[in-house]
Amino acid sequence: MARTSNIRLSGLLCSTALALISAPAAFAEEDEVLSLDPIIVKQRDPAGNAADRATSIYVADAEIERAAMGDLKDLFAGIASVSVGGGIPIAQKIFVNGVDMLNLAVQVDGVSQNNRTFHHVSANAFDPGLMKSVRVDPGVAPADAGPRALAGRVVMETIDAEDIIEDGETFGGRSRLSYSSNGSTAQGSLTLAGRSGGFEILGYAKRATGDNYEDGDGNEVTGSAANLTAGLLKFAYEGDQGDRIELSLQEAQDNEIRNFQPNFGSSTRGFAPYFTKRRIASLRYESGNETGLWDPSATFGFSEINVDRPSDPFGDSTSTSSSTYALTLKNDFHLSDSNTITGGVDYQVRESTVNATWVNGLTGEESKNLGVFAQARLEPTNRLSVSAGLRYDWQDFTGQDFAQTGTAFTGSTSGASGNLSLVYDLTDALSLRAGYSNVFGGYDLEDNFLFYQAWDYSALQSSRAKNIIVGADWQRGNWTLGGELFKTSIGNLRGVTRTGAVIGNDFESKGFNLAATYGWDSGFARFTMNSSDIEFNDQPAESFFVVDSGTPIGKVLAFEVQQEIPTMNLLVGGSVEAALSNDNGVYETYTQKQESYQVLNLFAEYSPPSLGNVTIRAAIDNVFDTQYADRATYGTEYTAASITSIKEPGRNISVVATLKF
């Protein structure tokens, strides 16, 4: 098998916690085996060599493929700096270096997402089966990342027709069937694509149903049954000169009886039906020019997450919506092959509304944000890469202020943001990197389910974040090592008191990431570790106070090993996810140390020689039936008498069959 070698470290190794994803020996695409090397993924990124990508996390192709019938936890498995907890998709939250993804700019097919919704339900229920590529830019984000990239950004791209259709063909498809023993969950997905004369069309559909799963102690986890429907429809036209226009429409629905608080374990509050739906529409144009001073692109889109609770034990009915309308116009000025400046303008309208019996009608908040930006990505010398950017945002905010005036509150704010990233190749093997950003956040929207009281906005303030990352990467032979120190500080994050006063809180996450990878021609082993310590208003904090800001992670580790056996058409491997016990410094009668855990997962993939387009994957997750709640799950530091955290599934045996045609 081919190996990646002699690769310039600058801009090619993944972020600290992510050198994790840079396996020097990986399966090459020309061998028709999905690459496990994110270096290959990074090379497909037009800005992959830029200094602002030096800390980026690229999820490898094979990792996306393996998560296709799973969830976000599967998608980011093996990446210690990205934590996903919650047990079920609608409760799963993503934390990057301990920071809640609410504080990162999130884009799907170029469209910004509004993830501000019910604090007991996640807005992150993205279907991995839809994904073509996934990248996380932790901490320092470039100016063209859009507004509110306080602690970085997450970029997701959905599959295209070219990902399904073989070269020289006009039609292709892919079908997947899976079954999981724990919860008796059955899933099926079908993707069809066609192209002719520059026109492309793709359709995708997925269905998942099942029962409640059992935790490691054999207890039924109530409200955990699968009932998911997802779909994608995409149209595109690409001209002879490479200019492309694309329309993407997707929707995912989860409709099931859940615990009254879906991100908790069972409680005395009973159950309620939850209907959640995410819709994303994206219309994009790209010129296809990769040289010269005229390379324009435009994106217009809409995203919406609905969380509806038609009835609950108290006889109430709630319907909520969090939506974003977004427009981005930009141009890449190619000064040379390795020097570009990206400049443009973006505009967003974000809304958060609720229609509930307990608020006596429809109410909500709205923000409108206009931003201008420029990001330079330069290579002054063969060993030095520089990325620097500026943006300025103007924001208009409309809320409610019945406590003060009896009419809706309106306010305006504005501010500048700047970032600087440097990568220097000290030697051919050792690379040093550093990044800093100071980011204007403006006014954030509030949780839909908190629109039950009149608010006093007199103390409302604009948020601002500061991020710093310093790291190093080393590569020699089959070894790759990486490490970094990070710190994210966010001031005036919006909060509300029980009396309805809007206040500003300060949040900080700091720590380090370590990564080591050893690769050989037919496999690899890699280790990653993340250590994150958080503070809230300059004090250690428990989960309740840092909801929507972050979560106490402590130290988490991930280890993966994989081996190909060509003579048997077999791929085998395993992983360990672990967390060390953590005392986050909060000493109360209802809190305790977060317990440690170690979980072993094993898998094998077989490609029958007589069925060249079929792959069968069998896996045993949580081999030893460990009883645990993932460290990113809400409330793992609370005693059982206070909160029952939702536990992860116990031992689960699954089979996935994939057919390409």
Side-chain angles (χ1 to χ4, degrees):
M1 307 295 277
R3 286 196 299 115
T4 304
S5 60
N6 299 322
I7 296 178
R8 183 174 181 270
L9 279 155
S10 174
L12 286 177
L13 294 183
C14 299
S15 104
T16 257
L18 303 168
L20 88 179
I21 32 192
S22 87
F27 304 140
E29 293 179 311
E30 59 264 31
D31 291 326
E32 297 184 354
V33 179
L34 281 174
S35 171
L36 280 157
D37 191 346
I39 287 178
I40 294 176
V41 181
K42 197 165 191 173
Q43 289 172 331
R44 294 199 297 257
D45 181 357
N49 289 329
D52 58 87
R53 296 288 202 272
T55 57
S56 294
I57 301 167
Y58 290 79
V59 179
D61 294 337
E63 292 169 326
I64 295 176
E65 174 75 11
R66 290 174 190 164
M69 304 304 276
D71 54 27
L72 287 177
K73 184 176 176 66
D74 301 307
L75 185 64
F76 293 105
I79 304 176
S81 61
V82 182
S83 301
V84 180
I88 58 176
I90 72 163
Q92 288 180 331
K93 281 197 169 188
I94 300 175
F95 299 92
V96 180
N97 289 337
V99 183
D100 194 307
M101 204 168 80
L102 279 172
N103 302 299
L104 283 73
V106 181
Q107 294 149 3
V108 179
D109 288 343
V111 177
S112 294
Q113 306 297 297
N114 183 349
N115 296 310
R116 199 68 162 112
T117 187
F118 188 23
H119 53 278
H120 288 295
V121 174
S122 169
N124 300 327
F126 300 102
D127 177 10
L130 285 172
M131 298 304 164
K132 172 180 182 174
S133 65
V134 178
R135 189 184 80 245
V136 179
D137 300 330
V140 179
D144 53 5
R148 287 197 55 78
L150 291 167
R153 69 169 167 177
V154 178
V155 180
M156 303 181 183
E157 294 288 336
T158 58
I159 52 177
D160 295 320
E162 68 175 6
D163 303 313
I164 303 299
I165 304 174
E166 298 290 340
D167 291 341
E169 301 294 328
T170 59
F171 175 79
R174 181 171 60 196
S175 177
R176 293 189 179 101
L177 295 173
S178 74
Y179 179 80
S180 299
S181 64
N182 194 346
S184 301
T185 300
Q187 300 187 70
S189 70
L190 177 64
T191 308
L192 299 174
R195 61 186 175 193
S196 177
F199 290 94
E200 302 174 5
I201 184 172
L202 178 141
Y204 167 92
K206 180 180 181 179
R207 185 78 175 104
T209 60
D211 302 323
N212 292 334
Y213 64 74
E214 293 182 352
D215 63 23
D217 283 345
N219 304 310
E220 180 183 350
V221 178
T222 58
S224 64
N227 190 358
L228 174 72
T229 304
L232 169 70
L233 188 60
K234 185 175 284 191
F235 304 92
Y237 174 78
E238 186 165 328
D240 295 335
Q241 303 302 314
D243 51 313
R244 180 181 177 87
I245 187 169
E246 177 184 281
L247 174 64
S248 174
L249 306 168
Q250 64 172 286
E251 182 173 303
Q253 298 182 6
D254 186 288
N255 187 8
E256 188 55 60
I257 301 295
R258 304 294 181 193
N259 294 336
F260 182 71
Q261 297 157 314
N263 65 331
F264 287 8
S266 59
S267 72
T268 57
R269 304 198 72 180
F271 308 95
Y274 274 87
F275 177 70
T276 63
K277 178 172 64 175
R278 176 182 285 275
R279 293 185 296 161
I280 304 172
S282 170
L283 178 62
R284 291 193 288 186
Y285 168 78
E286 296 177 348
S287 71
N289 299 327
E290 297 182 356
T291 60
L293 300 180
W294 183 241
D295 184 9
S297 62
T299 302
F300 174 71
F302 164 78
S303 68
E304 181 181 45
I305 177 78
N306 300 112
V307 178
D308 297 340
R309 192 171 65 195
S311 62
D312 61 39
F314 308 102
D316 293 323
S317 176
T318 305
S319 176
T320 71
S321 173
S322 301
S323 61
T324 299
Y325 296 86
L327 173 66
T328 301
L329 305 172
K330 64 180 181 180
N331 184 69
D332 292 331
F333 301 88
H334 300 278
L335 308 180
S336 67
D337 290 342
S338 57
N339 296 281
T340 64
I341 297 176
T342 300
V345 59
D346 50 40
Y347 181 70
Q348 288 187 14
V349 179
R350 301 172 70 231
E351 297 176 343
S352 179
T353 64
V354 60
N355 191 357
T357 55
W358 39 269
V359 295
N360 300 316
L362 183 68
T363 188
E365 295 179 335
E366 179 187 73
S367 71
K368 299 178 180 179
N369 194 98
L370 174 65
V372 294
F373 58 85
Q375 185 76 29
R377 297 177 170 95
L378 311 172
E379 290 189 16
T381 71
N382 290 335
R383 291 189 176 274
L384 177 65
S385 296
V386 178
S387 182
L390 292 171
R391 65 175 291 126
Y392 199 91
D393 293 282
W394 295 265
Q395 186 189 67
D396 293 326
F397 176 85
T398 302
Q400 54 177 357
D401 195 358
F402 298 102
Q404 294 294 306
T405 64
T407 59
F409 169 85
T410 59
S412 298
T413 185
S414 63
S417 303
N419 69 86
L420 174 65
S421 297
L422 303 170
V423 178
Y424 184 72
D425 293 341
L426 194 62
T427 69
D428 290 341
L430 179 61
S431 176
L432 305 179
R433 52 186 164 83
Y436 174 80
S437 65
N438 192 310
V439 185
F440 166 80
Y443 302 143
D444 196 11
L445 303 180
E446 192 48 272
D447 185 324
N448 310 77
F449 277 70
L450 294 183
F451 285 107
Y452 63 86
Q453 59 183 339
W455 292 335
D456 177 0
Y457 288 92
S458 59
L460 179 66
Q461 300 180 65
S462 175
S463 61
R464 180 168 288 276
K466 298 178 182 179
N467 299 276
I468 186 167
I469 299 177
V470 179
D473 301 294
W474 179 83
Q475 183 183 34
R476 175 167 292 178
N478 289 349
W479 280 100
T480 299
L481 303 177
E484 70 184 7
L485 300 172
F486 65 84
K487 181 179 179 180
T488 293
S489 301
I490 309 177
N492 289 321
L493 274 174
R494 181 175 170 178
V496 60
T497 67
R498 294 187 182 276
T499 62
V502 176
I503 59 174
N505 295 305
D506 296 333
F507 173 83
E508 180 179 280
S509 177
K510 60 183 178 182
F512 63 86
N513 287 300
L514 297 174
T517 300
Y518 182 79
W520 54 95
D521 286 344
S522 57
F524 74 94
R526 64 193 180 202
F527 167 83
T528 62
M529 176 181 179
N530 171 260
S531 176
S532 302
D533 294 319
I534 65 169
E535 289 186 352
F536 189 73
N537 292 331
D538 299 321
Q539 298 291 328
E542 60 199 72
S543 296
F544 175 81
F545 293 101
V546 293
V547 164
D548 301 334
S549 302
T551 196
I553 294 291
K555 293 178 175 60
V556 293
L557 307 91
F559 176 76
E560 293 182 296
V561 63
Q562 180 169 291
Q563 175 66 52
E564 186 196 15
I565 308 175
T567 57
M568 301 176 64
N569 297 293
L570 196 63
L571 185 68
V572 297
S575 65
V576 175
E577 55 178 299
L580 305 184
S581 63
N582 181 49
D583 185 347
N584 66 357
V586 178
Y587 305 105
E588 302 287 353
T589 58
Y590 51 84
T591 61
Q592 59 188 354
K593 282 188 177 181
Q594 293 170 299
E595 296 181 357
S596 64
Y597 59 82
Q598 306 83 36
V599 180
L600 174 66
N601 309 302
L602 300 173
F603 78 89
E605 290 184 5
Y606 177 64
S607 300
S610 59
L611 302 172
N613 295 326
V614 173
T615 301
I616 300 173
R617 173 183 170 87
I620 306 176
D621 296 322
N622 197 352
V623 173
F624 297 112
D625 235 2
T626 301
Q627 169 77 332
Y628 78 110
D630 188 278
R631 186 54 57 82
T633 298
Y634 179 86
T636 55
E637 76 275 35
Y638 293 121
T639 62
S642 176
I643 292 176
T644 302
S645 59
I646 187 170
K647 301 300 189 291
E648 296 293 324
R651 184 184 301 113
N652 180 51
I653 301 173
S654 63
V655 178
V656 180
T658 301
L659 169 65
K660 297 180 180 180
F661 54 90

